[in-house]
Amino acid sequence: MVVSVKVFKKATPNGKVTFYLGRRDFIDHIDYCDPVDGVIVVEPDYLKNRKVFGQLATTYRYGREEDEVMGVKFSKELILCREQIVPLTNPNMEMTPMQEKLVRKLGSNAYPFTFHFPPNSPSSVTLQQEGDDNGKPLGVEYTIRAFVGDSEDDRQHKRSMVSLVIKKLQYAPLSKGFTFSNGKISLEVTLDREIYYHGEKTAATVQVSNNSKKSVKSIKCFIVQHTEITMVNAQFSKHVAQLETKEGCPITPGANLTKTFYLIPLAANNKDRHGIALDGHLKDEDVNLASSTMVQEGKSTGDACGIVISYSVRIKLNCGTLGGEMQTDVPFKLLQPAPGTIEKKRSNAMKKMKSIEQHRNVKGYYQDDDDNIVFEDFAKMRMNNVNMAD
């Protein structure tokens, strides 16, 4: 059976230069990051001694576009790496299997390129806007672009420039479980594991031992998304899933209760909620809540830059008007399942990352006939409210 390989493409407005990418999502494995590997095709006789230059850029927007007045900008663009793509500066560069296949398919006017993310660069994150806010969303976004010029400092003309929005994501490492307890009313919250995958139920087992004179009237459960915008040192938290129950209540003095609560944190249940952090999405059907920020062993999330995301299960015991509330938080990680795991196969994320799975894990099809490449216009993958450069 021949496996079709989906390849994303986008051309300049004048149609003379075209980008080809085998995937849109590039994975940060903590100790290394996938390179951005693709191919550019230039029409014959178009350059006339000019060159094609490429850039990997990130835009960090930390304030609303509508608040930008008097020349004050609430975004920063950084060029992470740049290089000359055409003519090749290194004709003997080592190509990935996908690049080799594309070059064979597209012919002598196809030129491979490779960009590398700098160490500790942040993951792609988008903060969801209010329904009537049509400005550019807050977050971290990555773009690769190519333009024609005599030098890399030449003015970039829209008619001969092409850019693609890509995503930098993280996968889950191995996990472990833990518990937490707090207060005279003994509240112990146990998660069955430290890491959950997008779309999975979180299972929080709550054990309450009431050694006080108060009665517990009800129990509230939340999944909380914590967001830190490092540029402006701002922090806030949002509930992304919640429930309240009186089952087993009241828990009177001297009584105990053990119960497991299930919650599913989904982006679909938080549509149009301002400030919810998303995984730098490019189309409606593949949007997830932003994944937890992962750092190398020996470092803390305080060393991370961009937008730092974390999650916790929050349990609140309502002890009535006079008794007040008692709460505790148990942190966990919400991530993409790693390729090759059982969870990955069971997850809806498999559909999103199919091209990555094929590119990394299926070696044989690169040696098949080149006719199994399926080209898809990159512009079709955009959300309507994402403003991509021409």
Side-chain angles (χ1 to χ4, degrees):
M1 181 179 69
V2 177
V3 180
S4 294
V5 183
K6 182 181 290 186
V7 173
F8 302 100
K9 69 173 185 177
K10 188 179 180 184
T12 56
N14 63 15
K16 303 297 186 180
V17 180
T18 305
F19 253 138
Y20 291 87
L21 277 184
R23 48 183 166 160
R24 299 169 301 138
D25 301 342
F26 299 88
I27 309 306
D28 181 355
H29 302 270
I30 308 301
D31 53 346
Y32 73 97
C33 189
D34 292 345
V36 181
D37 54 334
V39 168
I40 277 184
V41 174
V42 182
E43 283 200 5
D45 304 323
Y46 170 65
L47 291 182
K48 301 184 184 304
N49 297 322
R50 293 178 298 172
K51 303 172 181 177
V52 178
F53 299 93
Q55 296 176 342
L56 171 62
T58 182
T59 301
Y60 181 11
R61 174 161 289 280
Y62 51 91
R64 297 192 306 172
E65 189 175 20
E66 65 185 55
D67 293 334
E68 295 180 340
V69 295
M70 305 283 294
V72 175
K73 292 286 187 181
F74 294 120
S75 68
K76 290 185 179 295
E77 182 182 272
L78 301 175
I79 306 300
L80 304 179
C81 57
R82 62 180 72 192
E83 68 175 45
Q84 177 182 306
I85 301 176
V86 184
L88 288 174
T89 56
N90 179 16
N92 299 318
M93 71 172 290
E94 183 177 352
M95 292 189 289
T96 64
M98 174 60 78
Q99 287 174 321
E100 292 176 351
K101 192 175 183 71
L102 284 172
V103 169
R104 288 199 305 269
K105 175 78 173 180
L106 300 171
S108 59
N109 295 312
Y111 301 86
F113 66 88
T114 302
F115 296 127
H116 295 276
F117 290 97
N120 303 320
S121 54
S123 296
S124 299
V125 175
T126 298
L127 298 187
Q128 194 161 257
Q129 305 176 98
E130 294 179 298
D132 58 350
D133 189 348
N134 295 320
K136 295 179 180 178
L138 277 67
V140 176
E141 181 180 84
Y142 288 95
T143 304
I144 58 170
R145 65 172 68 106
F147 63 94
V148 176
D150 294 317
S151 72
E152 62 181 21
D153 297 322
D154 276 1
R155 182 173 176 268
Q156 300 174 15
H157 298 279
K158 286 189 176 181
R159 66 179 181 275
S160 59
M161 183 181 72
V162 58
S163 62
L164 309 176
V165 175
I166 60 176
K167 293 193 293 185
K168 179 176 181 286
L169 304 174
Q170 291 182 319
Y171 280 151
L174 297 176
S175 62
K176 58 184 179 181
F178 52 89
T179 63
F180 196 87
S181 62
N182 188 19
K184 289 186 178 179
I185 296 179
S186 176
L187 170 59
E188 184 176 283
V189 181
T190 305
L191 301 181
D192 57 343
R193 58 184 190 272
E194 183 189 18
I195 293 174
Y196 292 91
Y197 305 114
H198 293 290
E200 283 190 330
K201 291 181 180 179
T202 58
T205 299
V206 177
Q207 293 179 289
V208 181
S209 297
N210 191 353
N211 298 315
S212 71
K213 297 180 181 180
K214 304 174 184 178
S215 292
V216 177
K217 308 293 185 183
S218 64
I219 301 174
K220 298 178 182 178
C221 305
F222 306 90
I223 292 182
V224 187
Q225 181 189 72
H226 307 279
T227 303
E228 179 183 357
I229 304 176
T230 58
M231 180 66 73
V232 293
N233 197 27
Q235 300 178 356
F236 56 91
S237 298
K238 298 281 186 178
H239 296 160
V240 293
Q242 62 186 56
L243 65 84
E244 181 176 3
T245 181
K246 293 184 178 180
E247 186 177 347
C249 298
I251 306 174
T252 56
N256 301 311
L257 174 70
T258 299
K259 186 172 178 61
T260 300
F261 298 97
Y262 298 95
L263 292 169
I264 306 178
L266 293 173
N269 297 336
N270 291 276
K271 284 188 175 180
D272 301 323
R273 288 190 59 208
H274 177 62
I276 298 295
L278 306 174
D279 247 346
H281 61 284
L282 300 178
K283 58 178 180 174
D284 280 319
E285 56 264 36
D286 72 355
V287 64
N288 283 321
L289 294 171
S291 297
S292 300
T293 300
M294 305 290 291
V295 295
Q296 293 181 354
E297 187 175 353
K299 294 188 176 182
S300 69
T301 53
D303 300 321
C305 58
I307 295 179
V308 179
I309 303 296
S310 60
Y311 290 87
S312 66
V313 170
R314 177 172 295 169
I315 303 297
K316 285 187 177 182
L317 304 182
N318 177 18
C319 299
T321 304
L322 297 179
E325 287 187 331
M326 173 184 179
Q327 78 172 41
T328 189
D329 280 47
V330 183
F332 70 94
K333 294 179 176 65
L334 183 63
L335 293 166
Q336 299 274 3
T341 61
I342 295 176
E343 292 84 356
K344 180 67 176 181
K345 296 176 183 178
R346 293 175 179 173
S347 171
N348 289 333
M350 181 179 180
K351 296 179 181 178
K352 301 187 308 172
M353 311 301 289
K354 189 174 182 180
S355 61
I356 295 178
E357 290 290 305
Q358 293 172 341
H359 176 75
R360 182 176 298 142
N361 297 332
V362 183
K363 185 176 181 181
Y365 69 73
Y366 289 115
Q367 302 168 358
D368 292 338
D369 185 72
D370 291 340
D371 291 336
N372 65 346
I373 294 180
V374 178
F375 296 113
E376 181 165 344
D377 191 343
F378 198 94
K380 294 179 181 178
M381 310 308 296
R382 298 178 296 178
M383 289 189 64
N384 291 331
N385 63 343
V386 175
N387 182 19
M388 293 179 62
D390 291 330

